[in-house]
Structure formats: structure tokens, C-alpha cells
Amino acid sequence: MEHETWSSQMDYLVTILGYSVGVGSMWKFPYLCMRNGGGAMLFLYIVFTIISAIPCVFLEMVIGQFSQGGPIKVWNLCPPFRGIGMGQVVINLLYAAFYSALLAWICYYLYYSFSTNIPWAHCDNPWNTPTCISNNEDDTFAAAANASKVIYNSSPLANGTKHMNGMTSAEEFWKFRVLEITDSLEHFGDMRWPICGCLVIIYVLVYLFLFQGLKVSGKVVYVTVAVPYILITAVLIRGCLLPGSADGIYYFLYPHFERLSEPEIWIEACNLSMFSIGTAFGCLVTMAGHNKFNNNCFRDALSVVGADVFSAVYIGLAFFAVMGHVAHLRGVTVEAFQSSGFNLGFIVYPEAVASLPLPQLWSSVAFIMILTLGIDSMVPCLEIPVTALSDEYPCLARRRWLVIVMVIVPCFIFSLLYMSQGGIYVLTLVDWYAFFPSIAVFGMLDCFIVSWIYGTDRLRRITKMMWKKTAPRVLTFSLKYVCPGLLLIICGYSLYSYRPPKYGDYIYPAWATGVGWVISCASLMPLPVVFIWTVYNTEGNTIKEKLEKSLKPTFHWELSSSVTDTPREGIMETML
């Protein structure tokens, strides 16, 4: 079966941008900025993006484009490390299941967006508590009127204001209506069948995207990526008109340089810059594998990373404008507002659209756009195992629908764990361990193997072969020394600063922590197994001889790019 390529290079770039922005980035970046000194985090994020993210993105694009394959096939350049690609497949399956739960909840919000009165905008709902805080002050005291006693926190804050000890109506909708949360992981509760229905809708949409292939999905992303920027612009303008928004934006942009003395900020900024665009996940390799052979990867890396940074800052402005208003409602400063990452996404954005004129219209448009942008991120996650299976078993490539079903069905079954009343505890546990520390390990090995085993000279020669220009030496220097060092620091510090998982005030039991470590090791296990198996089965009389032969690129590595019309004379000399 002929290898599918992008209809145009813009399809590829927009698809990568949609994958990197996604639902998670719409609140992960602002959340980390809020937790780490606002502008100080933003400053470090931009610095680390320049010195580390661009080289890593460039590397994955180059080897993916040259291999014309997926995350496993690309390791024909150094066969003992094919376990990296297998581990990335495992991670993407876990990530897709995780992502589908978020999208199912977003779909549930979309359903309620068509209500006459949006339920998270007021406190007059059966699930609201007496201390519910609404945007409408009358609603707040109406909800409290039926209670015999309303508890206020009369302790003055730093700015001399007082506040009521309660949750906003959006928080209560999230916890008591959407999740119907139980008190612990041991009490799993009942299945949330309405949200299970939303989950089915998500997987049907994803199947249709995957089945149509790049020719169709590469065009749809123009709408699903472009329109959310229009929505964010509207939220930003409206947010700036709300009381307290200036405080939020100031906190986001003003660099609190005294926070730079804290090593955690440096680690999280570096971590975010290197992984927010999807490096070490296998997506960039897989998507670049569908490029034309003579495409300029350096230009693409600069374009995608630049657009990703701009998107993060732009979304951050809108987010902190609304965050300042929410803090104003709570009577606290922006720094004092505490909630977990995806909790913020299901609380702050609903409050934002509820504050706009015609809230039903804005809310429905908002969640449709967030939903489509989320699907833009989920589809590449599932395209990775689909491509990997097709590469390893070419007989399946002609039955793409079957390969997609083989990938989607296990993901859907696993996603059902998140659809119970205690599902948020399972989701948090998976989120805590699934990508730790495997993503940092894979990223470090990517740089080390290509730079030190395969060689930067070979890397520069294949870039010359593809688009007639060699890779800048500053990039190869960074790949050889800077990026592996930073990733090693991230990995080491993550292990050093490890803390047992928790959700809010709930501490997970020991057995749950054990399950978490099993999840963490699941993506790392293929690495030593495949390495030992490959070296053992390589021809040679001694272990040293077997190892030296196994580390050489395979003959298929240079043949994998034969789809191009570029002259192939001398390629074996170049590679070997």
C-alpha cells in the first residue's frame, strides 16, 4: 500500500499546532504560571523553548521524515532501541484514554449549554450548597437563605477584604453534578451513564477522523484550529471588561524574579517547554513521516514552536483576565486561588462564557470549539499506534478500518474506568504516573542515540540529502550536549521530588501507589526487553561484536525513503 502523504505542507503544520495546543494546554500552561510566579515562569518558558525545544522538535521531524514511518520503524537507525517506539505507543494509548474522559466531560458541559439558565452561572440548583457563591450576589444569598447558619470566614486578608468560605456555582456544578464525586478511591460509586453516552460520541467522532485519513482530516483542522482563536479573542476582550481582570493579567505578565531562586520553577519551565508540543511522545515523528522527502524540517520546527509559544501566551492572557475576576468574586488575590489543573479548566472557562452576553450561544460555541480542538489532539495520539501496527504488519495496512478498531476498542474499555463517580481518582492516578519518568527518559535517549551513536555528522548529511541544506551547528551542539543534560536534570529532579499521589485533601492508599508504579513501568518495560533480544539475535561471536553490529542502521533505514524522486546514488555510503 502506498505511503500516505499530506496534501499540502500547511495541513501538516496546522495539524501539529492543533495537537500541541489542545485541551490540556488551554489550562496547563496558565495553571503552571499561576503556581510559579506568573511572569517569572513565562520568562523561563520562552528561554528554554529557544535553547531546548526547537532542537528536539527539529530532531524528531528529521528522523520521522527520513524514515517515512512511525515511532517503531524510525528506530531502524539504531534497532536495539525500537523499544522506545513501543513504549511511546503504550503512552499514547494511555493518553488517548485519559483525553477521551476530558472530552466526554466537555461534551456533557455542551449539553447543558443549551439550558434556559446555564446551571453553573447560578446557585438555584438542587445540588448547590448553602454557601454557594454566584456571579449574581442575589443568588448567593438566596441559596443561603434556606440554611439555618451560613459560615463566613471573617478573617481579613492581606488587602483588608473579607470573603465567604464556599465554592462558586461553577465549582459546585463540576464536583456535585458532573462528577457526583465519592469520598475516596475505595468507593467507586455508580457509573455516570450520561457521561458514558458522551464518551461513545467522542470515540465515534475520532473513528471517523482516523478512517478518512490525512486527505480529509488535514483539511478539517483548519476550522477546528482557527475558530478557537476567535473564541479566545472574544473571551479576552470580555474578560478585560470584568472587575479584577487587570490584577490577573498583571500577575501573568509581571516577572517576580525573586521566585527564580526556587529550583522547582526552572524544572517546570524546562519540562513544559520541551514537552508541551509533544516531543518524545512519538507524534512529531509519526506526522513528519507523512511529509514529502524534500521538505525543510528546520523551517517547520521554527514555525510550529513559534506558533505554539504565541498560542500559550495568548491563551494565558485570556485565562488570567478571567482568573482575576474569579479571585475578585472570591475576595482573594490571584496567588491565593488554589485548584488543580483540569479542575480549573472545568471551572474558569464555564464562568467566563457565563459572563458574556447571550451566554447560551457563547457557551455552546465555546465547548464545541474546545471539543474539536481536543479531538485534534486525540486523533494523533491514536494515529501513532495505528501507524505502528501498519508498519509492523503491512498486511493490515490495506484494512485500515480494522486496525483503527483494534486500537480504539481497548482504549474505550479502559476509559470507562473514568466514567464512574470515583473515576476522577483513577484519572488523577493515571495522570500522576503514566508519563513519569518515561517521557523524560525517551526524550533523553532520542538525543543521546542520534547525537552520539548515530552521529551528528550523519544527521547533517541526511538533512543535506533531503532539502539540500545542512542542519545548523548550533542545533547539533544543543542536541549533543544541552538537551540531554536538561532532560537528565528533569528526570533526576522528578525522581528526587517525587511525592505520593493526592487529589485535593485525599491521600491515596499504598496499594494504589503500587498500581501507579506498574502503570509507570508499563511504557519502560519494552526498552530493556527489546534491547537484549535484538543484541542476542544479532550475528557475532562475542557480546561486544553483537553489540557493535546491532547499533548500526539497518538496510531498510535508507530504503524507507524510496518514495522520493531524489537520486539515491551513494546513500549507503552516506549512511554507513
Side-chain angles (χ1 to χ4, degrees):
M1 184 177 180
E2 184 181 354
H3 188 71
E4 189 175 17
T5 58
W6 299 98
S7 298
S8 70
Q9 198 59 24
M10 187 58 67
D11 294 359
Y12 163 68
L13 295 176
V14 174
T15 300
I16 293 294
L17 180 61
Y19 170 77
S20 62
V21 176
V23 174
S25 295
M26 292 187 72
W27 57 72
K28 183 177 181 180
F29 172 73
Y31 168 63
L32 290 177
C33 285
M34 184 182 66
R35 193 174 71 181
N36 293 297
M41 177 72 177
L42 177 61
F43 170 75
L44 291 177
Y45 168 69
I46 294 175
V47 170
F48 280 120
T49 295
I50 295 172
I51 66 176
S52 59
I54 292 176
C56 288
V57 170
F58 172 76
L59 169 65
E60 296 202 2
M61 286 182 173
V62 168
I63 61 176
Q65 181 172 302
F66 190 82
S67 71
Q68 295 286 288
I72 299 177
K73 185 179 179 181
V74 74
W75 290 107
N76 283 335
L77 71 87
C78 194
F81 290 97
R82 287 165 63 91
I84 294 176
M86 296 179 184
Q88 289 172 337
V89 169
V90 173
I91 284 179
N92 279 280
L93 290 173
L94 291 172
Y95 190 69
F98 170 88
Y99 223 88
S100 65
L102 300 182
L103 296 181
W105 289 329
I106 290 170
C107 188
Y108 193 67
Y109 271 85
L110 175 61
Y111 169 78
Y112 273 99
S113 298
F114 297 100
S115 303
T116 303
N117 295 311
I118 295 179
W120 56 80
H122 61 86
C123 294
D124 191 20
N125 298 294
W127 58 81
N128 290 130
T129 64
T131 56
C132 173
I133 302 172
S134 171
N135 289 337
N136 186 334
E137 194 171 277
D138 294 337
D139 287 343
T140 301
F141 290 100
N146 296 327
S148 59
K149 182 179 181 181
V150 178
I151 301 175
Y152 290 88
N153 182 351
S154 59
S155 301
L157 298 172
N159 58 7
T161 61
K162 297 182 180 181
H163 71 278
M164 186 171 71
N165 183 18
M167 293 185 290
T168 64
S169 53
E171 289 177 272
E172 294 199 350
F173 178 80
W174 164 241
K175 292 183 178 180
F176 305 140
R177 181 58 179 175
V178 179
L179 298 179
E180 294 186 5
I181 189 170
T182 59
D183 58 353
S184 69
L185 181 62
E186 289 86 349
H187 300 93
F188 224 62
D190 298 326
M191 294 295 292
R192 296 285 289 117
W193 293 112
I195 302 185
C196 288
C198 295
L199 187 69
V200 172
I201 294 173
I202 297 301
Y203 274 100
V204 169
L205 290 174
V206 169
Y207 176 85
L208 293 176
F209 269 78
L210 288 170
F211 182 74
Q212 294 298 325
L214 302 180
K215 303 298 183 183
V216 175
S217 62
K219 302 301 181 185
V220 175
V221 291
Y222 286 98
V223 176
T224 58
V225 171
V227 178
Y229 285 94
I230 300 174
L231 173 67
I232 291 297
T233 302
V235 172
L236 175 60
I237 294 172
R238 175 56 180 168
C240 289
L241 299 177
L242 297 172
S245 60
D247 295 333
I249 295 176
Y250 176 81
Y251 182 80
F252 175 55
L253 295 179
Y254 181 79
H256 299 269
F257 286 119
E258 65 275 7
R259 297 291 301 276
L260 297 182
S261 61
E262 303 173 15
E264 294 86 353
I265 296 180
W266 292 78
I267 297 297
E268 291 200 345
C270 183
N271 189 27
L272 179 65
S273 67
M274 299 190 77
F275 300 129
S276 64
I277 202 169
T279 54
F281 275 86
C283 175
L284 295 177
V285 169
T286 304
M287 297 296 105
H290 295 287
N291 280 337
K292 295 179 181 178
F293 186 76
N294 60 355
N295 177 63
N296 188 330
C297 295
F298 181 58
R299 177 196 59 204
D300 291 348
L302 292 177
S303 301
V304 170
V305 173
D308 185 61
V309 171
F310 169 79
S311 301
V313 174
Y314 196 60
I315 290 170
L317 288 171
F319 183 93
F320 274 92
V322 177
M323 178 60 67
H325 175 61
V326 173
H328 174 78
L329 291 177
R330 296 289 297 268
V332 298
T333 60
V334 176
E335 299 94 321
F337 190 87
Q338 296 294 324
S339 190
S340 64
F342 46 76
N343 273 7
L344 285 175
F346 289 105
I347 294 169
V348 175
Y349 286 118
E351 282 194 342
V353 295
S355 302
L356 296 170
L358 300 174
Q360 288 82 2
L361 172 64
W362 282 106
S363 182
S364 59
V365 171
F367 288 113
I368 288 173
M369 291 304 104
I370 295 174
L371 187 67
T372 53
L373 197 56
I375 291 176
D376 284 342
S377 294
M378 186 176 170
V379 168
C381 288
L382 292 173
E383 180 67 37
I384 292 168
V386 168
T387 301
L389 281 174
S390 300
D391 287 343
E392 294 300 304
Y393 305 99
C395 60
L396 293 175
R398 297 183 181 277
R399 298 177 177 84
R400 182 175 172 85
W401 68 270
L402 180 60
V403 180
I404 297 172
V405 170
M406 291 170 60
V407 170
I408 280 184
V409 170
C411 277
F412 173 77
I413 294 173
F414 189 78
S415 302
L416 290 175
L417 291 173
Y418 305 140
M419 299 295 102
S420 66
Q421 291 174 317
I424 188 65
Y425 298 110
V426 183
L427 186 77
T428 302
L429 185 67
V430 173
D431 184 37
W432 202 280
Y433 285 102
F435 319 117
F436 165 80
S438 52
I439 291 298
V441 171
F442 292 155
M444 185 168 51
L445 288 175
D446 283 353
C447 296
F448 177 79
I449 295 164
V450 176
S451 300
W452 291 94
I453 299 178
Y454 184 70
T456 53
D457 288 339
R458 282 175 170 168
L459 182 66
R460 288 168 59 84
R461 284 199 293 268
I462 66 173
T463 60
K464 177 72 172 179
M465 186 187 308
M466 287 191 289
W467 67 87
K468 309 305 180 185
K469 294 181 181 180
T470 57
R473 290 193 179 277
V474 66
L475 281 184
T476 55
F477 176 84
S478 180
L479 287 171
K480 199 169 186 177
Y481 300 103
V482 179
C483 295
L486 291 174
L487 287 163
L488 180 61
I489 293 172
I490 290 174
C491 186
Y493 188 84
S494 298
L495 292 171
Y496 169 76
S497 61
Y498 165 78
R499 296 293 183 272
K502 60 181 297 187
Y503 177 77
D505 296 327
Y506 174 71
I507 304 297
Y508 283 76
W511 66 265
T513 302
V515 172
W517 280 112
V518 170
I519 295 172
S520 180
C521 293
S523 57
L524 290 173
M525 281 304 296
L527 190 57
V529 172
V530 173
F531 186 92
I532 294 171
W533 177 261
T534 304
V535 174
Y536 177 79
N537 286 280
T538 302
E539 293 182 358
N541 298 321
T542 64
I543 295 179
K544 181 180 179 181
E545 185 179 349
K546 286 174 174 285
L547 181 61
E548 289 177 348
K549 287 185 177 181
S550 67
L551 292 177
K552 293 181 179 179
T554 67
F555 183 72
H556 296 287
W557 169 250
E558 70 92 7
L559 288 180
S560 62
S561 53
S562 59
V563 295
T564 179
D565 293 327
T566 303
R568 311 300 296 172
E569 291 82 11
I571 287 183
M572 283 305 295
E573 288 79 0
T574 301
M575 301 311 304
L576 299 176

